[in-house]
Amino acid sequence: MSSTFEVETSIPASRMFKAAVLEWHNLGPKIVPEHIKSIDLIHGDGSAGSIRQINFAPALPFPFAKERLDSIDHNNFEVKNTTIEGADIGTKLECYSTHSKFTPTSSGGCVVKVTTTVKILPGVKPGDEEAKAKETITKAIKATEAYLLAHPTICA
């Protein structure tokens, strides 16, 4: 099952991409500390093929998720990643991946288009995973926008 949604921000695409993708391991815990405790690079240098572990705050239902950065397109501000371990992988989900594209708008901001693809394990009843993912990602994008507005030199 796949779904796509868009979130508009007032931040230029290049800056939003840098903060939400390239510097997320540093900025994520500062921007959404209620969700992210830390992000560790497990394998690689942050380029395509790298694996990072997102360690979640105690309030979340699972302690961590490991994601593989499948591709990063710096020119078109796109990233594809797949959660390979943790979160609901192996208990409810067979796989979970996202494709995010940051497209400039005429107003100087950008639209973040996110496509999530989820494959539920056989025998598991579909729940509201899709809605939860959309809500969490949207909150993170809006929190990143607010953080960058409050800190104009970050990722400039």
Side-chain angles (χ1 to χ4, degrees):
M1 129 176 78
S2 186
S3 68
T4 301
F5 62 94
E6 295 181 351
V7 181
E8 190 165 344
T9 79
S10 60
I11 305 297
S14 60
R15 187 170 178 224
M16 193 70 178
F17 178 78
K18 186 174 182 182
V21 177
L22 304 179
E23 291 296 323
W24 191 244
H25 60 286
N26 293 319
L27 295 177
K30 294 176 186 176
I31 294 173
V32 285
E34 67 278 10
H35 294 290
I36 299 174
K37 189 165 92 175
S38 65
I39 301 174
D40 303 316
L41 194 59
I42 302 295
H43 172 75
D45 60 2
S47 61
S50 295
I51 296 173
R52 59 187 179 188
Q53 180 170 311
I54 302 165
N55 300 299
F56 295 113
L60 270 70
F62 30 75
F64 74 95
K66 284 184 184 176
E67 69 177 11
R68 181 184 60 240
L69 299 170
D70 297 320
S71 67
I72 300 175
D73 183 336
H74 297 269
N75 295 324
N76 293 308
F77 311 121
E78 283 186 75
V79 63
K80 294 179 183 177
N81 57 50
T82 301
T83 301
I84 59 171
E85 187 181 333
D88 284 331
I89 300 297
T91 57
K92 293 181 182 180
L93 306 177
E94 184 175 319
C95 61
Y96 175 82
S97 63
T98 60
H99 173 208
S100 303
K101 180 164 177 52
F102 301 73
T103 304
T105 61
S106 60
S107 65
C110 72
V111 171
V112 183
K113 182 179 180 180
V114 180
T115 300
T116 61
T117 304
V118 178
K119 186 170 183 186
I120 298 171
L121 285 170
V124 175
K125 291 183 181 180
D128 58 353
E129 289 85 7
E130 202 173 320
K132 286 180 188 176
K134 179 180 177 181
E135 179 183 348
T136 301
I137 293 168
T138 299
K139 282 183 181 179
I141 291 168
K142 294 312 264 178
T144 303
E145 176 184 34
Y147 185 86
L148 293 176
L149 287 171
H151 301 87
T153 59
I154 301 286
C155 297

